[in-house]
């Protein structure tokens, strides 16, 4: 059986990039020691998240953020660990930064970046430039996609990733309400893929770091102040036979219309909507 062990983190959010970089490296080492192939960090983790830790992104010392990000990438290569790292990504002034997730491979290279597309109204008006494209990458034969926090409210983001064939949707967040967890669990069950939520310690009572299976089952969740939890993704697990082998292919063909096309008929009893 081919499996991928994923680590999701629940660090204490901080406005200090140096502290955040040190915490990142510590959790990376913990994840690697426990056999993880990928570790996910929350939204805005490295630079600090605007509105919460950082009042004005203009005050961020980007040289320090860059230096810490390079250290994280170097350690990823040393550990042979994929890292998905939340941070603001500066653009050319006067443009506002992106709210981004860096995808760092197990060779220590930044191979992609997801820029949050559906930023909140406040984020867009005061802090961030929205992105435009989905991001998908592969680790050991498993496809991963990324959505960020408030994007949980945009169903098209999640159905798009289902159509792209992702196995696991990575969902870093700085949650503000407990219903977020219910939505994440529903997205896993509806789209029949794993959903991994990385949260922050300050919001653990609302939404803990957690991984949901493709049937919506909670596979692991952080307990209290626990900063990291792990889950194995296994497409051959009998628990997920219905979700992955039956529901997923049928829902895909139903969604694109191909399943029903041969059953459609040309019948006036069907087309005339005003007849009894």
């Amino acid at each position: 059986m081919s499996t991928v062990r994923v680590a999701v983190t629940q660090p204490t959010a901080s406005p200090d990039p140096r502290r955040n970089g040190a915490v990142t490296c510590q959790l990376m080492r913990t994840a690697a020691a426990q056999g993880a192939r990928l570790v996910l960090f929350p939204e805005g983790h490295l630079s600090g998240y605007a509105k919460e830790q950082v009042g004005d992104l203009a005050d961020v010392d980007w040289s320090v953020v860059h230096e810490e990000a390079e250290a994280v990438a170097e350690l990823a290569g040393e550990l042979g660990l994929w890292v998905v790292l939340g941070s603001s990504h500066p653009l050319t002034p006067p443009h506002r930064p992106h709210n981004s997730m860096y995808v760092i491979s197990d060779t220590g290279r930044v191979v992609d970046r997801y820029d949050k597309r559906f930023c909140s109204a406040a984020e867009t008006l005061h802090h961030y430039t929205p992105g435009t494209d989905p991001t998908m990458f592969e680790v050991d034969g498993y496809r991963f996609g990324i959505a960020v926090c408030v994007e949980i409210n945009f169903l098209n983001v999640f159905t798009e990733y289902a159509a792209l064939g992702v196995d696991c949707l990575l969902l870093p967040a700085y949650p503000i309400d407990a219903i977020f967890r219910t939505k994440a669990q529903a997205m896993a069950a509806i789209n029949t893929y794993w959903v991994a939520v990385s949260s922050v310690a300050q919001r653990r009572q609302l939404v803990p770091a957690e991984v949901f299976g493709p049937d919506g089952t909670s596979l692991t969740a952080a307990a209290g102040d626990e900063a990291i939890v792990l889950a194995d993704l296994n497409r051959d697990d009998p628990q997920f036979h219905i979700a992955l082998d039956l529901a997923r292919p049928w829902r895909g063909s139903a969604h694109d219309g191909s399943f029903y096309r041969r059953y459609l008929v040309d019948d006036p009893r069907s087309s005339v909507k005003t007849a009894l």
Side-chain angles (χ1 to χ4, degrees), residues 128-271:
Y128 293 110
T129 296
T132 57
D133 302 307
T135 293
M136 191 171 68
F137 63 98
E138 190 170 306
V139 178
D140 299 345
Y142 282 74
R143 293 181 178 180
F144 293 85
I146 306 172
V148 177
C149 201
V150 74
E151 292 184 318
I152 193 72
N153 297 296
F154 295 87
L155 302 183
N156 56 306
V157 171
F158 292 81
T159 55
E160 176 185 40
Y161 278 120
L164 289 171
V166 304
D167 297 291
C168 179
L169 196 285
L170 303 175
L171 187 57
Y174 198 108
I176 61 171
D177 54 44
I179 198 66
F180 183 96
R181 180 187 179 276
T182 302
K183 294 174 183 178
Q185 185 172 28
M187 288 301 176
I190 291 168
N191 293 290
T192 59
Y193 49 50
W194 284 267
V195 171
V197 179
S198 179
S199 185
V200 295
Q202 287 95 325
R203 301 299 170 87
R204 62 189 180 279
Q205 291 91 350
L206 296 175
V207 179
E210 190 165 8
V211 179
F212 298 102
D215 60 352
T217 302
S218 176
L219 303 180
T220 185
D225 293 331
E226 191 174 19
I228 189 168
V229 292
L230 299 100
D232 292 330
L233 313 189
N234 181 2
R235 285 189 294 251
D236 298 323
D237 190 332
Q239 175 183 350
F240 305 130
H241 167 63
I242 292 177
L244 294 180
D245 301 327
L246 303 179
R248 180 169 176 139
W250 171 72
R251 290 180 192 177
S253 64
H255 186 76
D256 66 22
S258 60
F259 177 81
Y260 297 107
R261 201 163 292 130
R262 58 178 171 164
Y263 297 106
L264 301 177
V265 297
D266 182 10
D267 186 328
R269 294 290 297 162
S270 174
S271 58

Side-chain angles (χ1 to χ4, degrees), residues 12-17 20 42-57 60 62 65 86-88 98-101 116 118-124 127-128 148-151 172-176 200 202-203:
T12 299
S14 158
D16 181 356
N20 298 336
E43 176 181 29
H45 168 67
L46 185 63
S47 61
Y49 175 51
K51 296 195 306 178
E52 299 295 339
Q53 280 73 53
V54 181
D56 188 341
L57 289 169
V60 173
W62 295 112
V65 174
S87 182
S88 297
H98 287 311
N99 185 346
S100 300
M101 301 299 300
K116 187 177 181 179
F118 292 90
C119 297
S120 71
E123 285 178 322
T124 306
H127 301 290
Y128 293 110
V148 177
C149 201
V150 74
E151 292 184 318
Y174 198 108
I176 61 171
V200 295
Q202 287 95 325
R203 301 299 170 87

Side-chain angles (χ1 to χ4, degrees), residues 88-104:
S88 297
H89 176 77
L91 303 184
T92 305
H95 300 137
R96 297 188 182 111
H98 287 311
N99 185 346
S100 300
M101 301 299 300
Y102 294 113
V103 180
I104 303 170

